[in-house]
Amino acid sequence: MFSPQRPLPRANVIVADDHPVVALGVCQMLEGVEHIHLVAAAVTISELFEALAQVHCDVLICDYSFEDDSEPDGTLLLKRIRRLYPDLKIILLTGHDDVVIMQMAVEIGVSGFLSKSSRDFSSLPAVITRVLQGEKYLDPETSKVLVQHMMTNNLTSQSLTTAQLTARELEVLRMFSRGMSVTDIAQHTNRSVKTISTQKKKAMLKLGVMNDIELLKAFNQMYATLQ
């Protein structure tokens, strides 16, 4: 069990997860922890930004995917948070255990990465402590996936994004793979249909596919090889 090297001031923490049961469970886990002050819990992206605007937050424990939310999630959400609150420490709480998301989250500036399936999940208070002390945290299961991938494929952390897809292209493909149309994605991300269509076409070109069926197959294979 990790023990802090020096006493820490009480930290304001916000929890954001689109599954109310998960949000409640995390909140209960943090209750009674001496140096943690839980100031808000949100189950939608709009609730999250309302909370961030109303109270000071030191650490945000945030899900990666808000499946039915009308606002952009994933890396677009993380970049928005980082842009508006550059000093906020983010612990990404996610069920997505793949190195593409991991790499992009690290590049955006996430301080911690904790998988919902990790055996380390119960040590979240200690993870918060480590992050507050300036450490970066990657849970053991996720770290193992990353190391195995790099050793198997002889890759460095700079070359994990297959076909050099941009963050926006990956987001478009992720939403498209969930059954969203170009129009749906445009509405969800507050961008034009033309922009989304262009990003999708660029991704298709990079992946060397000619139609939607091939695109979905290539996208699924790409993620399968990265796990």
Side-chain angles (χ1 to χ4, degrees):
M1 176 68 69
F2 174 84
S3 58
Q5 297 176 348
R6 61 185 183 278
L8 290 172
R10 204 174 190 201
N12 286 350
V13 175
I14 291 178
V15 176
D17 194 292
D18 63 328
H19 296 91
V21 173
V22 175
L24 178 61
V26 174
C27 290
Q28 290 177 339
M29 188 182 302
L30 300 179
E31 286 181 356
V33 180
E34 185 177 358
H35 66 282
I36 293 176
H37 180 210
L38 184 64
V39 294
V43 294
T44 67
I45 294 174
S46 60
E47 287 181 1
L48 167 59
F49 281 102
E50 286 175 9
L52 288 171
Q54 293 174 5
V55 296
H56 171 72
C57 180
D58 298 298
V59 178
L60 169 64
I61 302 170
C62 187
D63 196 358
Y64 179 83
S65 178
F66 289 71
E67 295 291 344
D68 298 319
D69 206 291
S70 60
E71 297 192 47
D73 59 356
T75 55
L76 297 182
L77 170 61
L78 295 176
K79 287 182 177 180
R80 180 183 174 190
I81 295 170
R82 177 57 63 226
R83 183 177 68 254
L84 296 175
Y85 303 95
D87 297 325
L88 178 63
K89 295 185 182 297
I90 303 171
I91 296 176
L92 191 62
L93 185 64
T94 178
H96 297 272
D97 302 327
D98 63 68
V99 293
V100 170
I101 291 176
M102 192 190 318
Q103 182 201 17
M104 295 174 70
V106 170
E107 290 176 350
I108 290 169
V110 169
S111 297
F113 197 105
L114 184 60
S115 170
K116 291 180 180 179
S117 61
S118 172
R119 289 172 294 180
D120 241 25
F121 188 77
S122 60
S123 64
L124 182 57
V127 174
I128 293 174
T129 298
R130 297 175 70 160
V131 166
L132 285 170
Q133 291 186 322
E135 293 187 35
K136 299 291 185 180
Y137 178 82
L138 192 64
D139 70 70
E141 283 76 10
T142 305
S143 180
K144 182 178 179 181
V145 170
L146 176 60
V147 172
Q148 287 180 337
H149 175 76
M150 293 178 68
M151 292 180 67
T152 301
N153 296 278
N154 194 28
L155 297 176
T156 67
S157 60
Q158 296 299 316
S159 59
L160 293 177
T161 48
T162 300
Q164 299 302 310
L165 296 176
T166 67
R168 290 190 180 273
E169 289 165 357
L170 279 169
E171 286 297 310
V172 168
L173 294 192
R174 184 173 68 88
M175 292 183 224
F176 181 70
S177 70
R178 284 159 42 182
M180 297 175 67
S181 66
V182 169
T183 300
D184 293 335
I185 298 171
Q187 294 175 344
H188 186 75
T189 57
N190 294 318
R191 301 201 296 272
S192 70
V193 172
K194 181 179 179 180
T195 297
I196 299 302
S197 180
T198 298
Q199 290 168 343
K200 179 187 171 188
K201 289 178 181 177
K202 287 183 177 179
M204 292 177 71
L205 181 62
K206 291 178 180 180
L207 293 173
V209 299
M210 302 297 293
N211 54 54
D212 289 351
I213 295 177
E214 292 180 358
L215 177 60
L216 287 174
K217 183 178 180 181
F219 179 75
N220 291 331
Q221 288 178 340
M222 179 182 74
Y223 267 73
T225 59
L226 293 174
Q227 294 187 32

